[in-house]
């Protein structure tokens, strides 16, 4: 929360920081990146991300660097637009030579330069549409010419009128006169004009990734990148890869026809002309971001046949697969896929320049495109010269670099296949060709380790694995966009045997960790702790909880209830995942602090609770990875709205899962207005405040009577008396006891909140006095005050605002208020017979010296599960009670880690109230609005009907 303000991709940097990947690198060479440690020494990291495929030759290849320096030192022009560019021509020449070698007999391919791969995609799509527009223009010009010929032929009698109009839509009669023939031609024109507005349709493959610009993102299959922008781009139809029948069927759905006329054998005839709607098909020979999936040679051959028949140009995206990465310059050469367009990027710049290229088959190329498409930085002198030098290095020694890519890739793949054979339960698949490789882990969303399970279910497992590899083994890997369990490995051709063995060592440890479900090695590097408490990997597979639970019973529950979990504590984390038991509190809290951007963890398996009335509830926990200290920091900095946004998302997730009632933890209630700030239609949201108050008062009553004999003479103090729960406890206790002490935090606004609670007590007391009948508590004492007796004599109404007048009267009449005391000093507790801790501090606040002899402590503080319990360690005279805890008659407990240190068969009020509301069908009525005596009695009665009883011990 105290990190420096960031302006460049702050969210992304924060996410990287969650996994310890926000490292500033200061130097790079070959396959290594270097950062400085705390002593200023360089630390090398094996970089297997490789600039997402941009480093075929490695970081800062010395010959590329020397060439770049030479260009800059000699003043080589970077910007010389609108001039001769022989270097760019030479790049095109080299690329055409490579095409001719890998695709014998291929046509020449003119080249258009761009700045990035995504821009090359957009240029190709733009050219496809430009070509389609010119073909449309040519088609309409031909139809116009043919119509003119037909009209003249009918006019001079050299051609008869058409005798078949079946091709025309609607009821157009067979023409018998020139006028009727004119009407027929009008219908033809109307039909054709109606086609003009037809949007072009492009095709791409499922799992495809082609960029994130406005146009290119339309061709990227993953909806995370595309969904928000579909209305802004071209229509794209996605078809499954390696399914020729699906492609053929999809293309067949887009075959509209224009109408034309011809004069054939002395008669005008209506004919159909193919109307160009299909823009093109874009494919990756190997889908990189899509999970390292390769197209088959059989599919490639059929693609060419199907697209040629449909007049659909084929765009081959070699931005990541090209430049020799797979063992040939073009990955499509492995499968014989000849494209109408080829797209290159990434490594084309030699790891230094930012450049890309679109190559178009000569017979399809439209030279006019050069006048309607340009870019200030494309084809600049510097990057084209660097690109040429890169191509020269790749082509040197008869393309030795390509052979090296194939050999090094097979070496890496061999290591990964060995791992897959040794750990078949961990490694699902190994895929790749050359130096474009993916290692797919088996699904861990049902793993025994909750940490591993939840990261997998959230799609973040490879980030956690990548974090471990980087922070422990100094290996940098990357994810793939569409396969959350896959590590992508794209080193340069310079990767050494030693580096490959370094990868083997790191991945072997990852496989051992996942096999044994030991999350500690994965978590420890993120805690900031210097030494790991244990170095050996232990076996925690027997701790499996998986998705099984009472909620998985065959019969569905009557109701579904959600619980947005209470703030995590170190003990809760240890209970959640026993492999973390050796980490101390500071380390675990540091992990939670680092993970604060990842609050939306997957929901737990449901737990079944069946009421004595017969109805049942499945309770599902929706965890928030946030600590008590973080909540306090959000309050201090005025950023509680951020937690409110998180709560809202979790409530909506619960609603989507069918939950009709959602409880939120007591500590979270204070930042979400106890559910009042969460406006999700169709869902009742409760923080359990009403039941917490009722259960606390019920738990306190009998021990207080046994210890003091009578409630009427007692002083009750409420620490946190200005909060919603503390205010209600003070006001409701005032109906039975002689004096209330309200203690606040002393922070801004605390005095006003305490005063509001005091006034509520006075107003409630006057209402009871005015109503007549037997009086108890503060109302009984106030009834003797002169001001009150005068009001009674005057017949003042019970609902007349009276609190301020009573407060003023008492202030004038007494040096110290005998009925309600407000303070921000714990010394005010010294004369209290009972102290209720209802504060929101993440640490205990009660001090032994402030507590009266024999006092009763009812602990409802923050978590509601014993935060103040240590106070009785040195005082045998004190009686400690837990507040806000309820029992149930069967052994139903929340998933481990989300119910605090409660016993079997116990629930906190936040969960219990949500269950009770769902079982009773009462909606939120008993818990909405002010916590009144009536609402408390109602919810307590409902709870008892369904088997819940307040617990004090």
């Amino acid at each position: 929360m105290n990190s420096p303000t960031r302006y460049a991709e702050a969210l992304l940097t924060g996410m990287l920081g969650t996994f310890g990947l926000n490292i500033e690198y200061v130097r790079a060479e070959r396959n290594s990146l270097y950062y400085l440690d705390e002593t200023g020494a360089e630390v090398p990291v094996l970089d297997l991300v490789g600039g997402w495929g941009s480093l075929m030759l490695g970081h800062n290849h010395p010959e590329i660097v020397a060439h770049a320096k030479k260009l800059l030192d000699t003043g080589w022009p970077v910007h010389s637009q609108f001039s001769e560019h022989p270097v760019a021509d030479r790049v095109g020449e080299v690329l055409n030579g490579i095409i001719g070698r890998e695709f014998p007999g291929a046509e020449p391919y003119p080249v258009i330069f761009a700045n990035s791969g995504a821009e090359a995609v957009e240029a190709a799509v733009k050219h496809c549409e430009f070509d389609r527009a010119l073909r449309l223009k040519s088609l309409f010009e031909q139809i116009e010419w043919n119509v003119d010929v037909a009209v003249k032929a009918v006019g001079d009698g050299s051609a008869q009128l058409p005798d078949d109009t079946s091709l025309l839509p609607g009821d157009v009669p067979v023409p018998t006169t020139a006028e009727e023939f004119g009407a027929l031609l009008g219908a033809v024109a109307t039909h054709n004009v109606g086609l003009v507005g037809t949007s072009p349709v492009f095709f791409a493959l499922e799992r495809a990734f082609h960029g994130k610009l406005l146009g290119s993102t339309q061709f990227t299959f993953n909806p995370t990148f595309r969904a928000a922008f579909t209305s802004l781009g071209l229509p794209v139809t996605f078809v499954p890869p390696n399914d020729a029948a699906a492609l053929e069927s999809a293309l067949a759905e887009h075959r509209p026809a224009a109408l034309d006329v011809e004069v054939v054998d002395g008669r005008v005839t209506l004919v159909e002309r193919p109307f160009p709607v299909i823009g093109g098909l874009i494919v990756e020979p190997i889908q990189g971001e899509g999970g390292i999936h390769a197209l088959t040679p059989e599919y490639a051959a059929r693609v060419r046949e199907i697209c040629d028949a449909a007049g659909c140009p084929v765009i081959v995206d070699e931005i990541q697969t090209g430049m020799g990465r797979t063992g040939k310059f073009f990955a499509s050469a492995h499968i014989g896929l000849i494209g109408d367009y080829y797209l290159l990027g990434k490594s084309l710049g030699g790891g230094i320049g930012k450049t890309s290229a679109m190559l178009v088959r000569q017979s399809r190329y439209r030279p006019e495109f050069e006048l309607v498409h340009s870019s200030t930085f494309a084809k600049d002198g510097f990057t084209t010269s660097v690109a040429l030098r890169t191509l020269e290095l790749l082509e040197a020694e008869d393309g030795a670099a390509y052979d090296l890519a194939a050999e090094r890739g097979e070496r890496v793949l061999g290591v990964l296949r060995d791992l897959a054979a040794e750990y078949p339960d961990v490694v699902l698949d190994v895929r790749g060709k050359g130096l474009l490789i993916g290692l797919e882990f088996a699904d861990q969303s049902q793993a025994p380790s909750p940490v591993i399970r939840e990261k997998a279910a959230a799609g973040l497992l490879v980030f956690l694995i990548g974090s471990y590899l980087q922070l422990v083994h100094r290996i940098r890997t990357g994810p793939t966009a569409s396969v959350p369990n896959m590590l992508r490995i794209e080193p340069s051709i310079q990767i050494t045997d030693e580096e490959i063995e370094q990868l083997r060592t790191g991945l072997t440890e990852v496989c051992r960790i996942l096999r044994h479900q030991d999350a500690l090695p994965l978590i420890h590097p993120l805690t900031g702790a210097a030494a790991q408490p244990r170095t050996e990997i232990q076996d925690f597979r027997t701790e499996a909880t998986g998705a099984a639970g009472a909620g998985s019973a065959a019969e569905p529950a009557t109701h579904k209830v959600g619980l947005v979990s209470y703030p995590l504590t170190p003990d809760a984390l240890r209970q959640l995942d026993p492999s973390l038991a050796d980490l101390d509190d500071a380390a675990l809290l540091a992990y939670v602090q680092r993970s604060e951007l990842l609050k939306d963890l997957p929901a737990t398996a449901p737990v079944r609770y069946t009421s004595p009335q017969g109805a049942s509830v499945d309770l599902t926990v929706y965890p928030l990875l946030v600590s008590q200290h973080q909540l306090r920091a959000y309050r201090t900095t005025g950023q509680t709205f951020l937690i409110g946004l998180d709560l809202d998302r979790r409530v909506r997730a619960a609603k989507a899962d069918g939950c009709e009632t959602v409880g939120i933890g007591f500590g979270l209630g204070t930042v979400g207005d106890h559910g009042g700030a969460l406006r999700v239609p169709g869902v009742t949201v409760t923080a359990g405040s009403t039941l917490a108050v009722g259960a606390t008062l019920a738990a306190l009553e009998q021990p207080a009577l046994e210890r003091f004999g009578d409630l009427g003479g007692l002083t009750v103090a409420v620490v946190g008396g200005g909060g919603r729960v503390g205010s209600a406890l003070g006001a409701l206790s005032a109906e039975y006891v002689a004096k209330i002490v309200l203690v606040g935090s002393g922070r801004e606004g605390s005095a006003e909140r305490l005063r509001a609670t005091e006034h509520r007590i006075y107003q409630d007391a006057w209402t009871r006095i005015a109503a007549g009948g037997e009086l108890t508590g503060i109302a009984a004492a106030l009834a003797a005050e002169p001001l009150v007796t005068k009001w009674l004599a005057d017949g003042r109404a019970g609902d007349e605002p009276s609190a301020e007048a009573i407060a003023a009267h008492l202030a004038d009449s007494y040096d110290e208020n005998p009925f309600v005391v407000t303070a921000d000093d714990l010394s005010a507790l010294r004369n209290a017979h009972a102290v209720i801790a209802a504060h929101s501090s993440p640490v205990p606040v009660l001090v032994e010296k402030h507590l009266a002899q024999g006092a009763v402590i009812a602990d409802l503080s923050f978590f509601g599960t014993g935060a103040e319990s240590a106070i009785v360690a040195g005082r045998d005279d004190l009686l400690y009670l837990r507040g806000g805890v309820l029992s149930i008659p069967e052994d139903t407990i929340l998933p481990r880690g989300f119910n605090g240190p409660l016993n079997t068969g116990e629930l906190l009020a936040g969960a219990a109230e949500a269950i009770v509301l769902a079982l009773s069908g009462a909606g939120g009525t008993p818990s909405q609005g002010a916590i009144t005596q009536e609402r408390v009695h109602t919810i307590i009665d409902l709870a008892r009907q369904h088997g819940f009883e307040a617990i004090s011990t």
Side-chain angles (χ1 to χ4, degrees), residues 202-206 208 217-221 226 236-240:
F202 284 82
F203 295 85
L205 301 184
E206 294 173 1
T217 196
Q218 309 301 325
F219 297 87
T220 293
F221 181 70
R226 173 176 47 85
V236 176
T237 297
F238 291 94
V239 294

Side-chain angles (χ1 to χ4, degrees), residues 400-423:
Y402 312 138
D403 296 334
L404 185 57
E407 185 275 327
R408 295 283 82 188
E410 276 304 309
R411 183 69 179 266
V412 174
L413 284 165
V415 167
L416 301 186
R417 288 168 184 147
D418 289 346
L419 282 174
E422 186 176 357
Y423 297 94

Side-chain angles (χ1 to χ4, degrees), residues 138-152 260-263:
S138 178
L139 173 64
F140 280 109
E141 287 174 347
Q142 184 62 51
I143 292 174
E144 184 180 12
W145 174 270
N146 291 343
V147 167
D148 187 57
V149 169
V151 169
K152 289 178 180 178
D260 195 3
V261 292
E262 287 184 343
V263 178

Side-chain angles (χ1 to χ4, degrees), residues 791-872:
W791 285 351
L792 287 171
D794 294 342
R796 184 183 179 91
D799 58 358
E800 185 78 16
S802 306
E804 289 192 13
I806 293 175
H809 164 76
L810 295 175
D812 290 339
S813 303
Y814 299 96
D815 293 333
E816 179 180 326
N817 194 315
F819 307 115
V820 181
V821 173
T822 62
D824 57 14
D825 185 351
L826 291 175
S827 62
L829 305 178
R830 286 175 177 162
N831 295 319
H833 300 88
V835 176
I836 303 176
H839 57 78
S840 58
S841 171
V843 296
V845 301
L846 297 184
V847 181
E848 185 180 334
K849 66 180 180 178
H850 294 144
L851 300 178
Q853 184 71 22
V856 178
I857 313 298
D859 187 6
L860 189 63
S861 58
F862 196 79
F863 207 17
T865 55
E868 298 285 2
S869 58
I871 195 70
V872 299

